[in-house]
Amino acid sequence: MSEKKAAKLVASLTALPPEGTALARSGPSLRTPSQPVRRAQAGTTEAAWVRYTLITIALLFVLLFLVLPLAAVFTEALRKGFGAYLAALQEPDAWSAIQLTLIAAVIAVPLNLVFGVAAAWAIAKYEFRGKSFLTTLVDLPFSVSPVVAGLMYVLLFGAQGWFGPWLQAHDIKIIFAVPGIVLATVFVTFPFIARELIPLMQAQGNDEEQAAIVLGATGWQTFWHVTLPNIKWGLIYGVILCNARAMGEFGAVSVVSGHIRGQTNTLPLHVEILYNEYQSVAAFAVASLLAILALVTLAIKSVAEWRHEAEMKAAAALPPERPQVLAAVR
């Protein structure tokens, strides 16, 4: 074969047809490199009307089921002016409900924090008999109605319950008192922190903890200096969700509280009583506190996510041989 024919053969094998021709569209192997790049930048191959329809449906859903109800709460709460709004929040029964809600949350969240970290550590880091059973127990409050949870405590600690006679003999009151409210709140909120940490700790594995132990670190040193920094953002997410659920819980608390005004009513229960008494302005004023709590929770969660993403980007930008620079910058 002559050099001229060889050159023509190489040119015919390496040349690509121009973009837009039938041959260029006949198969993925003959497409120009710019086509997949443009599709990746577009993010989807769906038609424009499909994307706009989905976005419109999502926005309408958010508007109808989130924004409008939230606006209605504040509109009704301020219908008679800001003075009536403040007067509803300054009532003794309202203050008692606020204090009891805070007490239940202050007790329940730390207890669930300890349990959630311990359960997540055991499930994610160790293999043992009954591991699947423990995981099922963690998920139990998600599958049991809060009302049923409240009834379980009534059957255990009520006057006619299993431990009722003994509690009465020792003048200990749990049901229709603050301890019962705290127990019900702890039950319905304890999965949140554990469920936030378990997949995170399973994804991280045991390599860093084992390396720390090999280097002579104790169990507490390994937890404080290795495990906790790796799970801190997941822990913050779980605490935020747990606190929001503890303050907004209604079903289980309603069963064990007894609805005693000024004594065993939390904020959700106080809203129900005011609304049933046709005090709509006062009811929506107290409900607005729960709405504000939801907005604050969302803001804190968004800030935590932003900080987490910023730290991940900063860690990814560091050279592999100098990971300690990020800790020094913090």
Side-chain angles (χ1 to χ4, degrees):
M1 182 182 295
S2 65
E3 294 182 1
K4 192 172 183 180
K5 288 184 179 180
K8 286 183 179 180
L9 180 59
V10 171
S12 65
L13 291 175
T14 56
L16 287 173
E19 186 177 353
T21 62
L23 184 57
R25 294 191 300 266
S26 61
S29 61
L30 296 178
R31 290 173 183 164
T32 60
S34 61
Q35 287 179 320
V37 173
R38 284 199 298 269
R39 288 193 174 184
Q41 291 174 349
T44 180
T45 58
E46 300 293 342
W49 69 270
V50 176
R51 298 197 299 269
Y52 293 142
T53 301
L54 294 176
I55 293 172
T56 302
I57 292 174
L59 291 177
L60 287 176
F61 183 88
V62 171
L63 179 65
L64 292 175
F65 294 99
L66 295 179
V67 177
L68 288 181
L70 191 61
V73 169
F74 287 98
T75 301
E76 187 65 23
L78 298 171
R79 183 166 55 87
K80 293 185 178 180
F82 196 69
Y85 177 83
L86 290 179
L89 297 180
Q90 291 173 355
E91 291 182 356
D93 290 345
W95 273 108
S96 175
I98 293 172
Q99 291 173 1
L100 182 56
T101 302
L102 293 176
I103 289 172
V106 166
I107 297 175
V109 173
L111 289 177
N112 287 327
L113 174 63
V114 174
F115 169 80
V117 173
W121 184 299
I123 293 173
K125 303 295 183 180
Y126 300 101
E127 295 294 334
F128 55 90
R129 282 188 177 182
K131 180 177 178 179
S132 59
F133 180 68
L134 178 59
T135 306
T136 303
L137 288 181
V138 170
D139 293 334
L140 184 63
F142 287 146
S143 58
V144 174
S145 169
V147 175
V148 175
L151 287 174
M152 289 190 303
Y153 284 110
V154 172
L155 292 175
L156 287 175
F157 305 114
Q160 306 300 323
W162 292 1
F163 305 107
W166 184 88
L167 293 173
Q168 286 183 336
H170 292 80
D171 196 22
I172 300 175
K173 196 169 185 180
I174 295 180
I175 302 301
F176 307 148
V178 175
I181 294 173
V182 172
L183 286 175
T185 304
V186 170
F187 178 83
V188 299
T189 57
F190 81 81
F192 287 94
I193 296 177
R195 265 299 160 199
E196 192 70 34
L197 294 180
I198 288 173
L200 176 62
M201 297 176 75
Q202 286 177 335
Q204 291 175 350
N206 302 329
D207 295 341
E208 295 186 10
E209 285 86 354
Q210 291 176 356
I213 293 174
V214 168
L215 293 174
T218 63
W220 280 110
Q221 289 175 333
T222 302
F223 174 77
W224 286 108
H225 298 287
V226 178
T227 304
L228 188 59
N230 289 335
I231 66 172
K232 65 178 180 179
W233 292 114
L235 191 61
I236 291 173
Y237 300 156
V239 169
I240 291 171
L241 296 176
C242 179
N243 181 71
R245 178 62 188 274
M247 290 190 176
E249 174 56 31
F250 179 84
V253 172
S254 177
V255 174
V256 302
S257 71
H259 295 270
I260 305 173
R261 297 187 69 160
Q263 296 184 30
T264 61
N265 273 345
T266 59
L267 279 176
L269 301 182
H270 189 57
V271 170
E272 182 197 26
I273 288 177
L274 291 175
Y275 191 79
N276 290 336
E277 294 177 349
Y278 301 101
Q279 302 181 43
S280 60
V281 173
F284 281 100
V286 178
S288 68
L289 292 180
L290 295 174
I292 292 172
L293 169 66
L295 295 176
V296 171
T297 300
L298 181 62
I300 295 175
K301 186 175 183 294
S302 299
V303 171
E305 290 176 347
W306 176 78
R307 291 287 305 275
H308 185 206
E309 291 178 0
E311 285 197 2
M312 293 296 292
K313 290 180 180 179
L318 287 175
E321 65 274 8
R322 298 184 63 189
Q324 70 274 13
V325 176
L326 180 60
V329 171
R330 292 177 190 168

